[in-house]
Amino acid sequence: DMAIPDEEREDVLNTTSFELLEMTQEQTEVTQEGWQMFLDCYESMDAAGEALHDAIIDAAPTLTTLFTMPRAVSAMRFREGLHQIINSLAEPDDVKNLVDILGFKHLNLELTVARVEVIRDAILELMGNEMGPSLTPQMAMGVLEVLNYVGGALIYIRSHYAERVKILNQSWEEANCEREKKKEKQKDAQERAKAEAEELKKLKESLSQDALAEEEAHEARMLKHRQQKEQDVPRTFFDMFCFNAAVMDLLQPWMYEVLDCFDIIVLNAGNTFRLQEECDILTLKMAKVHKNPNLSDFKAVMLASLRSLIPKGWSAQHEAAWTWLWEHVESLLQAQIGRISQRERLLANFFASLDDESRISVTWALYAKFFELVPAGQEYFKQSASRLAMIANRVLEMSLDLFKYPYRIVDEISALGLRHVGYNVPIEYFGPFVSACIETLQGKLAVAEGIAESFAWSVGIISRMLVRTIKEGSTIVMKAINQNDKELLRSALSCAPRGARAEWVLTISVGTQSISPLLWAVESGTWKAAELIIEDLLTTRADREQYYYGLDDLFERHPDFVEILATKATSLLKPLFDGMIWRSHLAHDGLRRGNYYIKHLVADSKGNFPDAMENLVSLQNPQIALHPLIMRLSDVIWTGVVRSRFLRNNAWLLFTLLLFLISHGMLHGEDSASRSTIFVCRMLIYVFAMPVLIHGRVRHIRQAIRDRELVQLGCIPVPQRYVDNWREPAAVLLVLALLISLCLEPIFYCANHSSGSFDGAGLFTDLCPEAKDREVYNLMSMVVIAVYMVLLMDLATLSRHMAAYVLVALNVLPELFLLLISIGFLILMFATCIAVSSNDVASFQTSPMAILRLFQFSINTKGDTELMAIAESPLLCVAIGTFVALTSLGSFSIFVAQLTCAHHEIYANMVGFAGLRRMQIEVDSLQYLKPKTWKAFVEGLRLDEALEFGEGDIGLAGGIQLMESAYLYPQHRESIQRFGGSTSPQMPWPRDRGQETTEDERLEIAMRKFQKAVAVVAKKTLKSSCLGSNLSGLSFGSRKGNSSASKNGSEELDTKSESSTKSEA
């Protein structure tokens, strides 16, 4: 009989001591196997945690007060804590450390023997209900022993250390009460100084000179006295410690290192594991400034400073508590402080002696040992062999760098741990990995004992820091992101306080390092989760006091978020831009309010134009350019600052083109007036227009060199914009053509020969026989006019539809090219066939003549002189008739059909490409805009003024408001989620499933619930009717009659579960 009598209950639930939990290897394995089987009964670890949480609350609803966190968070932490303890049963020291940490974390909870028994019995009852006959008595006894050990330890720790740790926390908070107020005081002082300056200014206007001088002297004396008073009186522990240490002549450089982390030490006074880690790191830092510090000096100054900061509340209990804390810290520091330099020297000499071959052998031996210890770890090391070798070498290097550069390496380890949060690596694998490193070093290289101990100490610190960082950073939001499950992510966010909801998805901080869950979701490819986060951030929620909208938080955390999405997740740009638009669901007089929150796309934190539009242009996605937000943004910038500059530049280009046309095409130099006009126009082009073009090209080249935006074309480096924008090479071609025209200008050659006997002789003539290379000059003139016309096509940008038409015309040119190829092939084929045949028609007897004649036939320019001769040759008639039929009915008809289809396909995107072209012009123009002009434009938008959501409803700032046609973007319901009830920022938002999930998602959720319910019903029908018979003789140390009550309760629970499950199904 395995029953435990009631009189032995206190021996089972040990509340009088806290020793190691000793279990046999067999009992440990059975307990761990039973716990894993219980977890496997649920579809996920989180579901198991929620089941444990619900079972405890159902057993005793009064225990709800013990769970202060939201249900999802409490369930996750409860399950993780119990899971980690059971998995560490093979190492009693680790179990005690974990329980010790757990006890100090729960010092504020009122745990009693009765409450522990209720929790313990609820857990075992749940395991029995879920596992059925699979739960053996040995498994149940193992879990029972673990739960009794944990419960008794928590009660013991609370009864012995709770008061002491409470005194430390309260007195530390009181000693640093001024620390948080320091920034507020500085702001108040600045505002007070401004107010005093204004008052003094008014006083100067009303007082006489003597009274003014006296008043100024008085003000100066009072200000100096106030500043000295504020500076001389220490108000924080740091300031008071430095003051007292200087007075006592005990201030040493190593004390600053202790002060930097003393806040963490005090706040983790009850966390032995964390305190040990912090003290080990502190010894590394102290060893860099002092080899053998006198630690007792810090205690004397510390107590003196605390007595000064807490004069009224200081008591003997405070003295004892702070003495106990420092003695504990001093013992931890003293154990390691003298060994740091020796360890560093041993590791440095050892790694210096390793050659490449030894490092490679250590690398593969390390992974082989680790996979032997943890076979499942192979699923997490999927990288290439070179990558794995780099990781192993980095581990060896960090073990030495931790001694050399403790400040930098500590930050790097924190950042590395936060990255592993996203990798979803189980923290249980870090211990075996460290063991594999140490055993490999000892076995493969047979290192000395001192080297192995030094390496183990260093790697152990790194492992503990990584595990702590991962545990602190593994929030329910990150876990939902790793699973890429929208429903889990919604459940996680529903627990967030409304005032910190944005912070939950944008920042996870551990120490000095932080990671963004949203950025991790984007970079890791979990785009479903990233899309939900963006939608949640940009959903406007409101209570009676204020609106909550996460756009400012998003761009404050990630100012380059548009660039990130444009390069890594373009599909998320649409949800982002959709969330930056609000439209009213109410229409008045056929118009609807629309708020476009473009503040962060117009100006960054410094007031400059951000790179968002340039990134969107480089993306070359016409659908993004057609988004309403981007179109409004482009229109605002275009009409505000770019259009006038664009028209001015193109007006000058058009003017120079008119000058060129007048001087080369309209006037011919018959008389002296026309020749003078030609000369003046050409000089204006050469003296004014051409230098402007040259200056623009030189400026672009200089900027490209400065920004290092050069690409190689063959062996010639050219600016990147010359490759991206065809207008730049066209402008270069125009400059070259004008330079050649200047060199070949006939007026210059005829300057000394203007009085000859030729037509057009006279001053400024260009018709003299001495003018050379007239053909080249005329060719350059044609090139200049053609390039001018091409560049002036940019004027189509003034209208999106006109620009789209131009782009459509340019994009159907490939179809015309294909038509010409097909007709050319037909002409060549029929011409050669006709030429080799015997015919009497002269124009078809040779291939070149036949090609020319068939070309005339294809463009309907044939003559009628040879038609009778062609008609006399039947073979020639058939050939020419077939050719005409194929060209007119075949090629041209196919061309028209292709052109029609291509137009329908192209035009949909050409409007977007026209918008992209306008955006490109805006980006190029703003690069040379004066900062003063841009600042005035941004201020004119008044983006800091709040926009209305309705009449009298003052909403959010950061955008522009437009009155749009009510039929343009119909809205069927209010997009702002409004909630009543409490308006506290600490309260989470009520969850509205109807608004948060789509119809498809609700259907998917219902199907999952149905499948789960069917699986539960099937499992319960397979259970034995004698459920719990294996546990009939097992008593959990409860009061008399508890076994029968538990049995009846189990039966009732089965019946209730079956009925509820069938009802749910």
Side-chain angles (χ1 to χ4, degrees), residues 680-755:
V680 171
C681 291
R682 293 185 183 181
M683 288 303 101
L684 288 176
I685 293 173
Y686 296 142
V687 175
F688 294 102
M690 188 173 66
V692 171
L693 290 172
I694 295 175
H695 175 264
R697 308 291 75 74
V698 172
R699 182 180 60 182
H700 293 160
I701 294 174
R702 185 176 57 189
Q703 182 181 359
I705 294 174
R706 184 177 65 248
D707 299 339
R708 297 183 178 180
E709 294 180 352
L710 298 174
V711 294
Q712 293 290 133
L713 288 182
C715 59
I716 303 175
V718 298
Q720 178 68 42
R721 62 183 296 139
Y722 282 27
V723 179
D724 298 337
N725 190 354
W726 61 268
R727 290 162 182 81
E728 291 298 327
V732 172
L733 179 61
L734 177 60
V735 170
L736 294 176
L738 288 174
L739 287 173
I740 295 174
S741 299
L742 176 62
C743 296
L744 301 177
E745 179 56 51
I747 295 178
F748 297 156
Y749 286 98
C750 295
N752 297 326
H753 308 281
S754 59
S755 59

Side-chain angles (χ1 to χ4, degrees), residues 265 268-269 271-279 328-329 332:
I265 290 175
N268 291 278
N271 188 342
T272 306
F273 204 66
R274 179 76 169 87
L275 190 62
Q276 175 71 61
E277 176 191 327
E278 198 61 37
C279 289
H328 190 192
V329 172
L332 295 175

Side-chain angles (χ1 to χ4, degrees), residues 170-179 235-238 305-306 309-310 322:
Q170 290 179 349
S171 56
W172 181 249
E173 182 178 357
E174 185 178 353
N176 291 278
C177 62
E178 296 294 330
R179 181 176 56 181
R235 298 180 180 277
T236 64
F237 177 79
F238 184 90
S305 302
L306 290 169
L309 292 170
I310 317 174
W322 284 98

Side-chain angles (χ1 to χ4, degrees), residues 455-620:
F455 178 76
W457 188 82
S458 177
V459 176
I461 293 179
I462 296 174
S463 174
R464 295 203 304 271
M465 291 181 63
L466 288 174
V467 170
R468 174 181 56 81
T469 305
I470 293 173
K471 290 177 67 176
E472 294 178 5
S474 295
T475 63
I476 55 177
V477 172
M478 283 298 297
K479 293 190 175 184
I481 289 174
N482 289 330
Q483 297 186 31
N484 201 20
D485 192 320
K486 283 189 173 183
E487 184 60 26
L488 286 178
L489 187 54
R490 283 195 187 94
S491 300
L493 292 177
S494 64
C495 305
R498 62 186 66 179
R501 188 165 179 135
E503 185 179 358
W504 275 38
V505 296
L506 292 176
T507 305
I508 296 176
S509 299
V510 177
T512 59
Q513 302 296 319
S514 64
I515 188 175
S516 171
L518 173 58
L519 185 60
W520 178 262
V522 172
E523 293 179 343
S524 62
T526 54
W527 290 351
K528 288 183 179 180
E531 181 180 1
L532 180 60
I533 292 175
I534 293 173
E535 292 174 354
D536 186 82
L537 278 171
L538 303 183
T539 298
T540 306
R541 299 179 179 88
D543 52 29
R544 293 185 303 275
E545 293 187 357
Q546 62 177 322
Y547 286 95
Y548 292 86
Y549 184 54
L551 182 63
D552 291 338
D553 296 321
L554 172 61
F555 278 93
E556 183 180 353
R557 183 71 172 90
H558 302 295
D560 57 343
F561 191 63
V562 174
E563 179 183 0
I564 293 172
L565 295 186
T567 55
K568 298 180 180 179
T570 56
S571 61
L572 298 179
L573 285 171
K574 186 179 183 302
L576 174 67
F577 296 149
D578 288 343
M580 298 171 69
I581 301 175
W582 172 88
R583 295 188 180 94
S584 174
H585 67 292
L586 302 175
H588 298 283
D589 299 330
L591 298 177
R592 186 191 312 277
R593 291 178 190 266
N595 294 350
Y596 293 81
Y597 294 97
I598 60 174
K599 175 182 177 180
H600 298 284
L601 301 181
V602 171
D604 56 17
S605 59
K606 298 180 180 178
N608 300 322
F609 184 64
D611 297 332
M613 184 174 287
E614 184 177 359
N615 297 322
L616 295 178
V617 172
S618 62
L619 193 61
Q620 288 297 305

Side-chain angles (χ1 to χ4, degrees), residues 216-255:
E216 288 179 347
H218 177 69
E219 289 287 338
R221 286 194 300 271
M222 294 299 296
L223 180 61
K224 183 177 180 180
H225 176 71
R226 184 167 60 248
Q227 290 177 348
Q228 289 179 350
K229 184 177 180 182
E230 291 179 355
Q231 293 175 359
D232 293 342
V233 179
R235 298 180 180 277
T236 64
F237 177 79
F238 184 90
D239 297 337
M240 183 63 75
F241 185 95
C242 295
F243 176 79
N244 287 333
V247 171
M248 300 168 66
D249 196 21
L250 295 176
L251 189 60
Q252 298 291 330
W254 62 268
M255 291 184 176

